[in-house]
Amino acid sequence: MVNKQILPNGVRILTERLDHVRSCAVGIWVESGSRHEPAELSGISHFLEHMLFKGTDTRDAGALAEEFDAIGGQVNAFTTKEHTCYYARTLDTHVRRAAELLCDMYFRSVFREEDARLERGVILEEIGMYEDTPEDLCGELLSAAVYPDSSLGRPILGTRETLEGIGHRQLSDYCRRNYAPGNTIVTLCGSFSDDDLRYVADQFAAMHAGTPPVLPAAPYTRAAVLRKKDIEQNHLIVAFPCPALGAPERFTLQALNNILGAGMSSRLYQRVREQAGLCYNLYSYTSLYLGAGVLGVYVALSRSTERQALSLIRDELVRFRGQGVTEAELSRTKEQLKAGLLMGLESTISRMSSMARSEMLYGTEVPVEELVAGLEAVTCADVRDLAQTVLDFGQMSFSAVGSVAKEEEYLGIFR
């Protein structure tokens, strides 16, 4: 059972005790990500994430790393479009120490100019890595194209130009403004003591009040974007706007995506890869955010086979819209989705993440029984109706990277 405590300054503390484990996952979640950034500071949320590991008033980066290793702890962080998370997992005998180290990073990082200069170089290398990964690049180009007037379309890592303008002062000011009690969530999941919880609450009770950032709108725009790149395969995405994160249709969307292309038995995987042998890598996916969502079909293949493969994808999308799904397909996909959900909750880090995301989205815990019931309630008619709404070629977008053809050649396949 998840317990929720709201401190006087607005910080939310979520806890779940699991008596059968010896570990505890501790997380600090901030509802501030790249979508909250002004254009001139694009990438600063991810930059901040890196910088919190570079040293505090009392510890440098090496000391932080050594102390985490000394307690056998796992520590990491990540930045998304809409939030940032810092977390550690350790034995229950070291929960207090892990929380102390995370709090030191969160409250007392110093953002030295020399550290910022060095870390900027690391992030530029990370950007180069993404540029050299055509699958990721194809997705980034699509986001920029379909959300052209929104921060949601900008890359989480930022760009070389924006990063060059971010230094000690910008990092410190942005952290002070955006890391506020009202958008901070602390999570403990696993085995921990009342003293551990009191320590965490005392640390965050002293956090100064601030104003959480406002999340800007992100209207979808139909678009096509192509990038020539000297690589062996072409990487293609066909995409459609779909219900946003937390929408009432979310369970139906999960089923639709899984049957369409998210599993080995999915229609697209079977038709294009297994039966026609036209590609190695193909899948469908959803990118869901607050107030915005995209359903995409990704495929990587040679220039010589892409027209045939895209024609088969088109035919399968048309068939999906017109005929819907069978009871056998829906039953199979429900079991897959339930298994993924329930097996994921066997990890303290996964449970901790589920707690935080549920709080950010709904403001409360969503019991796993309710999630399972939501999946079980989906019908074939629900999937068909949603497919007819989402798989609308009039709203289709397209992204391609590689030895690409002209835009008209690709879009003509889907007319």
Side-chain angles (χ1 to χ4, degrees):
M1 176 181 176
V2 175
N3 292 302
K4 178 177 176 179
Q5 176 184 3
I6 304 178
L7 301 180
N9 60 3
V11 173
R12 289 157 287 173
I13 300 179
L14 309 177
T15 59
E16 183 181 29
R17 276 196 167 90
L18 304 174
D19 295 332
H20 61 283
V21 301
R22 284 294 315 275
S23 68
C24 181
V26 183
I28 304 174
W29 302 74
V30 195
E31 293 177 278
S32 178
S34 62
R35 189 175 172 185
H36 298 91
E37 300 165 351
E40 67 273 14
L41 294 178
S42 177
I44 194 170
S45 299
H46 175 257
F47 204 157
L48 265 179
E49 175 218 311
H50 278 234
M51 290 299 295
L52 260 64
F53 288 86
K54 302 306 291 183
T56 70
D57 290 336
T58 57
R59 297 176 174 92
D60 61 17
L64 284 169
E66 288 174 3
E67 291 192 50
F68 272 116
D69 285 348
I71 61 175
Q74 304 169 7
V75 61
N76 213 330
F78 59 87
T79 304
T80 74
K81 301 273 188 177
E82 295 176 341
H83 62 263
T84 307
C85 174
Y86 306 88
Y87 67 93
R89 180 171 176 260
T90 187
L91 291 176
D92 52 10
T93 51
H94 298 305
V95 176
R96 166 75 177 266
R97 191 64 174 153
E100 180 187 337
L101 292 169
L102 284 175
C103 288
D104 195 27
M105 293 164 50
Y106 195 72
F107 294 122
R108 290 175 284 277
S109 286
V110 291
F111 309 119
R112 298 180 184 90
E113 193 62 57
E114 176 61 15
D115 290 334
R117 183 185 66 80
L118 293 173
E119 206 59 28
R120 185 184 298 113
V122 172
I123 297 172
L124 290 174
E125 290 297 322
E126 193 176 354
I127 291 174
M129 181 181 71
Y130 273 84
E131 282 284 338
D132 287 342
T133 309
E135 181 176 351
D136 294 333
L137 178 59
C138 196
E140 287 285 2
L141 291 173
L142 178 72
S143 291
V146 300
Y147 302 120
D149 302 315
S150 169
S151 52
L152 187 58
R154 295 198 290 267
I156 293 172
L157 302 184
T159 66
R160 181 175 296 274
E161 292 72 27
T162 58
L163 292 174
E164 290 295 343
I166 299 174
H168 160 80
R169 181 177 59 81
Q170 290 81 7
L171 289 161
S172 180
D173 290 348
Y174 196 83
C175 183
R176 177 174 47 81
R177 290 196 310 270
N178 283 45
Y179 282 31
N183 68 332
T184 297
I185 300 168
V186 185
T187 52
L188 287 87
C189 181
S191 177
F192 57 90
S193 69
D194 290 342
D195 286 342
D196 296 329
L197 179 55
R198 274 192 294 270
Y199 173 79
V200 170
D202 288 345
Q203 292 295 304
F204 281 88
M207 192 175 184
H208 296 301
T211 303
V214 176
L215 194 69
Y220 172 91
T221 300
R222 181 188 180 192
V225 56
L226 294 87
R227 170 81 66 86
K228 285 192 176 294
K229 198 171 183 67
D230 187 17
I231 50 180
E232 188 68 25
Q233 288 189 309
N234 283 357
H235 298 256
L236 315 172
I237 297 176
V238 178
F240 306 87
C242 73
L245 190 66
E249 310 94 333
R250 60 191 183 279
F251 300 112
T252 305
L253 181 63
Q254 282 183 278
L256 186 160
N257 177 56
N258 205 62
I259 295 169
L260 180 64
M264 290 180 62
S265 66
S266 66
R267 290 189 179 186
L268 289 175
Y269 191 92
Q270 286 294 314
R271 181 87 181 273
V272 182
R273 175 182 156 140
E274 296 300 289
Q275 297 172 15
L278 296 175
C279 66
Y280 175 77
N281 197 9
L282 175 146
Y283 56 85
S284 66
Y285 66 94
T286 56
S287 291
L288 307 181
Y289 309 98
L290 294 172
V294 163
L295 169 72
V297 175
Y298 165 85
V299 62
L301 69 185
S302 69
R303 175 79 178 93
S304 61
T305 59
E306 65 180 10
R307 185 175 185 85
Q308 184 182 356
L310 288 176
S311 296
L312 290 179
I313 291 172
R314 175 205 61 206
D315 292 346
E316 206 55 54
L317 294 174
V318 170
R319 185 165 76 93
F320 205 110
R321 275 177 53 98
Q323 300 178 13
V325 300
T326 67
E327 290 288 352
E329 286 177 313
L330 185 57
S331 175
R332 186 167 61 243
T333 208
K334 285 179 180 180
E335 289 304 311
Q336 287 179 285
L337 294 171
K338 284 191 295 182
L341 171 66
L342 296 173
M343 289 192 293
L345 293 178
E346 295 180 359
S347 157
T348 53
I349 288 181
S350 294
R351 293 182 78 97
M352 177 198 71
S353 299
S354 178
M355 289 160 52
R357 291 191 169 98
S358 182
E359 174 65 26
M360 287 188 283
L361 188 56
Y362 305 110
T364 187
E365 175 197 8
V366 180
V368 65
E369 295 81 8
E370 186 175 322
L371 298 175
V372 171
L375 288 170
E376 288 287 8
V378 175
T379 67
C380 291
D382 293 335
V383 178
R384 183 193 64 238
D385 291 346
L386 186 61
Q388 290 175 352
T389 300
V390 171
L391 303 178
D392 177 3
F393 291 109
Q395 290 294 308
M396 189 195 85
S397 291
F398 185 80
S399 177
V401 172
S403 301
V404 295
K406 293 182 179 179
E407 176 182 323
E408 180 60 31
E409 181 176 331
Y410 292 116
L411 298 185
I413 295 172
F414 293 91
R415 290 206 176 97

